[in-house]
Amino acid sequence: FAGAYVAGDVLPAYDITPTLDLEEILNLATSGQLGRLTSIIGREQGGAQFSIRLRGRGVAYAAGTRPEWDLPMRGCGHSSTVDATLNLEKVTYAPTSTHESMTIYVHQKNGPSVQLAGCFGTVDFAMTAGGVLEARFSFQGLLDAVADITHVPGTLAATPQFPVMKSAAFQIDTANYAPRIARVGLSVGNFLQPLPAINSAGGIAGFFIADRNPRLTIDPEADLVANYDWFTKWKTQSLADCTFQVGLTQYNRIKFNFTKVQTASQPWGARDGLTAFNTQLLAVLTAGNDDYSIVAD
């Protein structure tokens, strides 16, 4: 951005929280006295956390027409692949081995701009029955500057309306088991590692994604073993496909696809006066980066 940005760069985010982290190196050489001498400032890094409610564009997707949340998804280690097949246009986000770093500015009209470079992030998705789909992003990078710059307001689209978690078509396993579920969560589980660099003005070049541990969480109502044998599948390390969606209207629908998931834990709990299986599912690899994909179509 080089100290300036345009309206088209602004993300429709909320709950925005920048973090400034200047490493303090204590100076303990006090010649036998109590107290401290002036600390030394080491690595200069920072971060940004924000949430975005997800929706489609309401029109056919193309290379220049992608979801509002395209850039932060790419900054979390996902590819962004457009399928321009007529009347079936879609954008698919899936884990990739080719990562793109982000430059992020957190700016307010009457305050300084926190400027981060070389950022990578992770994201958690939260969904409830009858609620909107929320993506909670967390990025880390080099703290490039804290400065006064010209404020440029974003232009936020009023349409389409945000899709909600109804008629989600949730299914798991070959029998297409569809339990009653109140909440769904997906944590991409990226592990972010700083990239030290002695030639960098801040001591690091930025961050990189060192690992991924994607976990899907659901809270299905307790059910009979005859209907779905959760325990045996858990014990025998059985794998199952899983899919669901948020929204019903084309170009404003988001689909979650898991090639194979494995039950990792299942503590019993209570919700709404019912027994629930608070299930954590590990999204596993079968061939390449195919553990999950998220499709806007």
Side-chain angles (χ1 to χ4, degrees), residues 170-185:
F170 182 98
Q171 69 80 34
I172 186 170
D173 218 337
T174 55
N176 295 329
Y177 179 60
R180 279 195 293 264
I181 296 171
R183 297 179 181 274
V184 181

Side-chain angles (χ1 to χ4, degrees), residues 207-278:
F207 277 69
F208 70 98
I209 299 173
D211 197 9
R212 179 176 74 251
N213 184 13
R215 305 275 171 154
L216 176 68
T217 55
I218 57 176
D219 62 350
E221 289 180 16
D223 202 354
L224 295 172
V225 171
N227 292 332
Y228 196 76
D229 191 353
W230 282 107
F231 181 72
T232 297
K233 294 176 184 296
W234 179 13
K235 183 172 65 172
T236 58
Q237 305 166 54
S238 295
L239 302 181
D241 69 291
C242 182
T243 57
F244 59 90
Q245 66 184 27
V246 181
L248 299 174
T249 305
Q250 187 179 23
Y251 307 134
N252 196 24
R253 178 174 52 206
I254 301 164
K255 295 179 177 178
F256 289 78
N257 305 295
F258 300 86
T259 304
K260 295 294 179 183
V261 294
Q262 176 188 359
T263 304
S265 65
Q266 195 177 66
W268 290 24
R271 63 163 176 82
D272 307 317
L274 300 168
T275 299
F277 296 155
N278 297 317

Side-chain angles (χ1 to χ4, degrees), residues 32-293:
Q33 302 298 316
L34 300 180
R36 296 289 186 272
L37 296 176
T38 304
S39 292
I40 305 150
I41 297 300
R43 294 181 181 179
E44 303 170 19
Q45 62 190 60
Q49 293 77 45
F50 55 89
S51 295
I52 297 179
R53 291 191 176 101
L54 303 194
R55 61 180 172 180
R57 290 299 295 269
V59 297
Y61 294 104
T65 307
R66 303 179 194 235
E68 298 168 316
W69 33 281
D70 180 79
L71 284 177
M73 284 293 288
R74 287 158 59 183
C76 290
H78 296 98
S79 59
S80 173
T81 306
V82 176
D83 181 345
T85 302
L86 184 62
N87 298 323
L88 296 172
E89 296 88 351
K90 62 183 179 181
V91 184
T92 299
Y93 297 93
T96 178
S97 299
T98 303
H99 298 160
E100 300 176 86
S101 68
M102 293 189 69
T103 296
I104 298 176
Y105 282 15
V106 180
H107 181 60
Q108 56 186 5
K109 185 174 183 179
N110 296 308
S113 172
V114 176
Q115 303 173 11
L116 307 168
C119 297
F120 284 104
T122 189
V123 58
D124 293 345
F125 300 91
M127 295 149 269
T128 60
V132 297
L133 168 57
E134 180 183 48
R136 300 164 181 167
F137 293 94
S138 179
F139 282 86
Q140 294 290 319
L142 166 68
L143 181 56
D144 184 60
V146 177
D148 294 336
I149 62 175
T150 301
H151 176 71
V152 179
T155 302
L156 304 180
T159 58
Q161 187 53 277
F162 293 92
V164 295
M165 196 71 168
K166 302 175 183 178
S167 300
F170 182 98
Q171 69 80 34
I172 186 170
D173 218 337
T174 55
N176 295 329
Y177 179 60
R180 279 195 293 264
I181 296 171
R183 297 179 181 274
V184 181
L186 170 62
S187 176
V188 167
N190 285 341
F191 179 71
L192 307 178
Q193 185 73 18
L195 190 61
I198 61 173
N199 284 341
S200 168
I204 64 170
F207 277 69
F208 70 98
I209 299 173
D211 197 9
R212 179 176 74 251
N213 184 13
R215 305 275 171 154
L216 176 68
T217 55
I218 57 176
D219 62 350
E221 289 180 16
D223 202 354
L224 295 172
V225 171
N227 292 332
Y228 196 76
D229 191 353
W230 282 107
F231 181 72
T232 297
K233 294 176 184 296
W234 179 13
K235 183 172 65 172
T236 58
Q237 305 166 54
S238 295
L239 302 181
D241 69 291
C242 182
T243 57
F244 59 90
Q245 66 184 27
V246 181
L248 299 174
T249 305
Q250 187 179 23
Y251 307 134
N252 196 24
R253 178 174 52 206
I254 301 164
K255 295 179 177 178
F256 289 78
N257 305 295
F258 300 86
T259 304
K260 295 294 179 183
V261 294
Q262 176 188 359
T263 304
S265 65
Q266 195 177 66
W268 290 24
R271 63 163 176 82
D272 307 317
L274 300 168
T275 299
F277 296 155
N278 297 317
T279 308
Q280 184 183 89
L281 301 164
L282 170 66
V284 303
L285 300 169
T286 60
N289 290 307
D290 69 341
D291 35 1
Y292 68 89
S293 66

